[in-house]
Amino acid sequence: MDAGGAGRHLPAQPLWYEPGTGWSYSHANFVLLGTALERITGTRLDRLLEERVMGPLGLRNTRNSFTPEIEEPVQHAFTASRGTYEESTFWNPSWTTAPGAVLTMHICDLERSARAVGSGELLSRRAFLEQLDPGTVGLGGATATCPADICLLNTEAKHFGMGVIVIDDWVLQNPSFSGYAAIQAYLPQQDLSIAVSTTRGPGAPDENTAQIIAERISELLAPENPLVFG
């Protein structure tokens, strides 16, 4: 809706591709998923995550908040996304995901969740395999209406699953937000997990710096199958 037209909807936009024939990333799906989970279970999302995820995995240093508050000690973040290099530690990330799913955690919990997600610990075998490839392999790629950097090509070696990315057998997620960057990655064949969290200095490259560090760690720990994003 626009500011002066309560109740009016934005005009429909043309589809980039027919449903089921292409692929493009949409973070809004996490918002929709949170709403669906609450309606299906009848449980508020923050409580549902505690009951089904944080509790069973023993993530005692993971916090869920409806505010930008972060438990001390805080890893401070900085960004130049608004043109001036400034502190962004307590910027509110609530618009990026579903209410009740704004999480902060210690690095040990990040590593623990990497192992759990990457091994399908909380899922049946069938559900885990579907999470790794729900049919995305083969979808994507540039079309007349969608450029290649939006409609990313999903291949067997590198593709998006449900809430995860699969790169050469590594199962990972790589969030970033206003100066914060992180990665959790798991390599099932070696039962190897890597967790990195970084903040950006004024001369840091304009990319997820946690990925760069994770790649270098993987070269040392898994030289035969390192994590490579390029």
Side-chain angles (χ1 to χ4, degrees):
M1 293 185 295
D2 60 34
R8 292 193 314 189
H9 295 280
L10 293 172
Q13 301 297 312
L15 294 175
W16 282 339
Y17 45 81
E18 289 299 316
T21 65
W23 186 92
S24 58
Y25 182 85
S26 174
H27 206 75
N29 288 337
F30 289 104
V31 179
L32 298 174
L33 177 61
T35 300
L37 287 172
E38 288 187 333
R39 293 188 178 182
I40 291 168
T41 64
T43 304
R44 208 172 70 181
L45 185 58
D46 60 321
R47 296 172 182 167
L48 186 64
L49 290 172
E50 177 61 40
E51 294 172 4
R52 302 289 184 91
V53 181
M54 276 92 83
L57 296 181
L59 303 181
R60 290 182 290 274
N61 292 307
T62 298
R63 301 286 181 268
N64 194 313
S65 179
F66 288 92
T67 74
E69 180 184 5
I70 304 175
E71 184 184 27
E72 294 285 350
V74 177
Q75 179 184 10
H76 287 259
F78 300 84
T79 181
S81 61
R82 299 198 300 186
T84 301
Y85 185 68
E86 59 186 328
E87 182 169 2
S88 55
T89 306
F90 300 105
W91 286 10
N92 194 333
S94 62
W95 59 271
T96 67
T97 191
V102 177
L103 303 177
T104 59
M105 62 174 56
H106 292 194
I107 193 68
C108 292
D109 276 10
L110 187 63
E111 183 277 330
R112 173 72 180 99
S113 62
R115 282 189 286 124
V117 173
S119 65
E121 184 173 332
L122 298 179
L123 301 175
S124 68
R125 179 62 178 170
R126 179 179 178 180
F128 179 54
L129 292 176
E130 185 174 0
Q131 180 185 27
L132 297 183
D133 177 17
T136 49
V137 172
L139 296 180
T143 69
T145 55
C146 188
D149 60 344
I150 298 296
C151 287
L152 302 173
L153 178 62
N154 285 256
T155 67
E156 188 69 38
K158 183 177 182 180
H159 61 271
F160 283 77
M162 289 192 285
V164 298
I165 305 170
V166 178
I167 299 180
D168 293 328
D169 299 322
W170 288 85
V171 183
L172 61 108
Q173 187 52 277
N174 55 347
S176 61
F177 172 78
S178 297
Y180 283 108
I183 185 172
Q184 58 171 48
Y186 182 74
L187 183 61
Q189 292 87 339
Q190 297 187 30
D191 190 24
L192 172 63
S193 53
I194 297 175
V196 180
S197 178
T198 64
T199 56
R200 182 173 295 170
D206 188 20
E207 57 184 295
N208 187 320
T209 49
Q211 290 183 178
I212 299 173
I213 296 173
E215 284 183 323
R216 294 174 181 175
I217 293 174
S218 74
E219 290 173 358
L220 297 173
L221 300 181
E224 295 181 357
N225 191 4
L227 178 61
V228 179
F229 283 87

